Amino acid sequence: MRNVVKVRLYPTLEQKLSLAKAFGSCRFIWNYCLAENNRIYKETGKGISAIAMKKWIPQLKKKEDTEWLKETYSQCLQSSVINLGIAFKNFFEKRGGYPRFKSRYGKQSLQYPQNVKVIDTGLYFPKMGKVKANLHRLFDGELKTVTISKTKTNKYYASLLFDDGLPEVNPSSNGKVLGIDLGISSYCITSDGSKYDNPRHFKKHEANLKRKQRKLSRKQKGSNSRNKARRLVARAHEKIGNARQDFWHKLSRKLVDKSQVIVCEDLNIKGLVRNHKLAKAINDCGWGMFLNFLEYKCQKEGKVFLQIDRFFPSSKTCNHCLNVVDSLPLDIRTWDCPSCHAQGIDRDVNAARNCRDEGIRILSCGTRDTANGGNVRQRRGRKSTVLDAVAHGANPAARVE
């Protein structure tokens, strides 16, 4: 099993200069190989493999204008090419977008595939020596790869990948099944009735971020004052991101610890953010990353993370009688079922319970095919069982058709 820990680095001025050169060299190799790949594809209609692109590195080191590539550890340059090949593979297999050129103003990173050692109070890197690090946590096993990254706020981090040689834990579904529904007013609603409020991190810091972005827009391009203002804006974004990530970790850990199976919907987030009235609030929630946190925590502990079909009518299905109503607007938070006459059905809790029941059905049947048939039209002359939802407190007979 492989484990990753991210530690903070504190390089000296000489080491910062060495890292800056290494970041620039790896960025240059990435951009050069990407440009050559694009050019060759336009001329011949074929791409270049990562093995073929790695052969360009020794040739570039012999040229006078790119002789400075010798100052960087050779395996870091090779890893940059390998990562570009992986990026192309992910693109063709529809797991990611087309690789883009890297900028010196964005996040910088490089990878050491081997020859990095963990010492007393830091890490030893080839051609750079010992770098002080805050080793707050380490794992047993072999150190495989180390990735150094530099944020826009000039902070250095190292991601350490350990392999303990043990097999991965086989997932088991024997235990408590928890269904969750994600929302905006309440961030997470569980099938047992618990609701977790949405902290709205971006809204809390929006005024501060807006003020700093205004100051940045007034600075002259290329000036030192603009670079300082850019770092202040990056620090504000970093503060929001850290708070949001801390919330994801704590909530996902709490949900995974108290359940064996977690069931949720496969949300179409790209489609949801097309609603301009809710786009900012949805992006502030970060549902996709939160689901990733749940998934990897479940996999690590041998638990099951299951996503049901996005077209499953979890909100419009009565959890008591399984009647599917025809329409349920977003402004209706509690409603009465016109079929079984259940009153005060909470929309979010009802959706979470339906997700839980659908997950149990999928696990018991061994198939992911949903049993819901949708709004199926019956023969003429028969009354449809699909009814409109009735808002809680309204007259049920007034809405039944």
Side-chain angles (χ1 to χ4, degrees):
M1 180 182 293
R2 295 190 172 186
N3 300 297
V4 181
V5 60
K6 188 175 182 180
V7 300
R8 177 81 180 271
L9 297 180
Y10 299 93
T12 61
L13 293 177
E14 295 181 358
Q15 291 171 346
K16 287 182 180 180
L17 180 60
S18 178
L19 283 173
K21 293 180 180 179
F23 288 141
S25 299
C26 294
R27 186 175 64 248
F28 171 81
I29 290 295
W30 173 284
N31 293 339
Y32 178 84
C33 294
L34 179 57
E36 288 296 310
N37 206 318
N38 294 341
R39 181 184 63 82
I40 294 174
Y41 181 79
K42 289 181 180 179
E43 294 177 356
T44 63
K46 297 180 180 180
I48 305 297
S49 64
I51 299 176
M53 289 189 291
K54 286 172 65 175
K55 298 179 180 179
W56 296 344
I57 298 177
Q59 300 176 3
L60 291 172
K61 289 182 179 180
K62 296 179 181 179
K63 295 182 179 180
E64 295 182 359
D65 53 346
T66 56
E67 191 177 6
W68 41 267
L69 292 174
K70 297 179 182 179
E71 300 179 14
T72 304
Y73 189 49
S74 60
Q75 293 192 6
C76 295
L77 303 179
Q78 295 175 8
S79 297
S80 182
V81 177
I82 294 174
N83 292 334
L84 179 61
I86 295 174
F88 272 112
K89 184 178 179 180
N90 292 335
F91 168 72
F92 289 117
E93 294 181 0
K94 297 182 180 181
R95 291 195 299 266
Y98 191 81
R100 295 181 295 179
F101 291 97
K102 293 186 177 182
S103 171
R104 61 182 299 182
Y105 299 106
K107 181 180 177 180
Q108 308 297 317
S109 65
L110 59 90
Q111 189 179 76
Y112 286 85
Q114 58 183 1
N115 297 332
V116 178
K117 300 178 182 179
V118 179
I119 53 181
D120 297 333
T121 59
L123 301 172
Y124 175 82
F125 295 96
K127 283 195 173 184
M128 191 166 49
K130 177 184 175 182
V131 179
K132 184 181 177 181
N134 183 15
L135 302 176
H136 63 281
R137 184 183 183 186
L138 293 175
F139 292 97
D140 296 332
E142 181 185 1
L143 181 61
K144 304 295 289 186
T145 61
V146 178
T147 303
I148 302 179
S149 59
K150 177 187 175 184
T151 63
K152 294 182 179 180
T153 56
N154 296 334
K155 295 180 181 179
Y156 296 85
Y157 294 92
S159 299
L160 312 179
L161 176 63
F162 293 90
D163 188 0
D164 55 10
L166 299 176
E168 295 185 358
V169 182
N170 295 326
S172 174
S173 59
N174 296 327
K176 180 181 178 180
V177 181
L178 185 69
I180 64 173
D181 181 68
L182 301 178
I184 296 178
S185 58
S186 295
Y187 188 85
C188 180
I189 303 94
T190 62
S191 56
D192 55 8
S194 301
K195 292 187 177 182
Y196 299 94
D197 294 335
N198 185 6
R200 302 179 186 269
H201 298 289
F202 183 81
K203 189 176 182 180
K204 291 180 181 178
H205 301 85
E206 187 174 10
N208 179 37
L209 183 62
K210 183 178 180 180
R211 182 174 62 255
K212 292 181 179 179
Q213 285 180 333
R214 280 180 175 176
K215 292 182 179 180
L216 174 62
S217 64
R218 296 190 186 103
K219 305 299 181 182
Q220 185 178 0
K221 292 185 178 181
S223 61
N224 291 330
S225 60
R226 184 177 178 85
N227 294 332
K228 293 179 182 179
R230 184 188 292 115
R231 285 194 294 269
L232 293 177
V233 173
R235 188 182 301 174
H237 279 289
E238 186 180 59
K239 187 175 182 179
I240 298 172
N242 291 339
R244 187 182 290 123
Q245 194 174 42
D246 180 72
F247 172 74
W248 290 337
H249 274 296
K250 290 179 179 178
L251 181 57
S252 60
R253 171 52 56 198
K254 187 174 184 179
L255 296 177
V256 171
D257 285 346
K258 70 176 186 179
S259 60
Q260 184 65 27
V261 180
I262 294 180
V263 186
C264 67
E265 286 183 307
D266 181 20
L267 298 175
N268 181 19
I269 300 177
K270 288 186 178 180
L272 293 174
V273 295
R274 293 176 182 173
N275 185 349
H276 299 293
K277 295 182 180 180
L278 300 176
K280 183 187 290 187
I282 293 174
N283 287 325
D284 188 19
C285 291
W287 293 331
M289 188 61 68
F290 175 68
L291 295 179
N292 289 341
F293 281 29
L294 284 174
E295 184 175 8
Y296 92 79
K297 283 183 172 64
C298 288
Q299 290 178 354
K300 187 176 180 180
E301 299 187 9
K303 299 183 178 182
V304 178
F305 177 78
L306 181 62
Q307 287 184 290
I308 62 176
D309 187 70
R310 63 181 57 174
F311 297 106
F312 176 72
S314 59
S315 298
K316 297 192 292 185
T317 303
C318 177
N319 185 255
H320 303 279
C321 64
L322 302 183
N323 173 62
V324 182
V325 296
D326 192 25
S327 63
L328 188 65
L330 287 175
D331 58 341
I332 298 179
R333 310 313 301 176
T334 57
W335 53 284
D336 300 337
C337 179
S339 178
C340 67
H341 305 292
Q343 296 183 353
I345 301 176
D346 189 286
R347 176 196 184 102
D348 300 325
V349 177
N350 178 71
R353 290 174 178 172
N354 286 327
C355 290
R356 178 200 58 191
D357 297 342
E358 179 67 9
I360 294 174
R361 189 198 66 81
I362 292 174
L363 293 173
S364 60
C365 297
T367 175
R368 290 178 179 268
D369 296 334
T370 177
N372 171 59
N375 188 359
V376 181
R377 294 183 179 273
Q378 297 184 352
R379 294 182 181 179
R380 184 175 299 177
R382 295 186 180 183
K383 186 177 180 180
S384 174
T385 59
V386 179
L387 305 174
D388 287 340
V390 180
H392 182 56
N395 184 11
R399 295 291 301 274
V400 178
E401 296 178 358

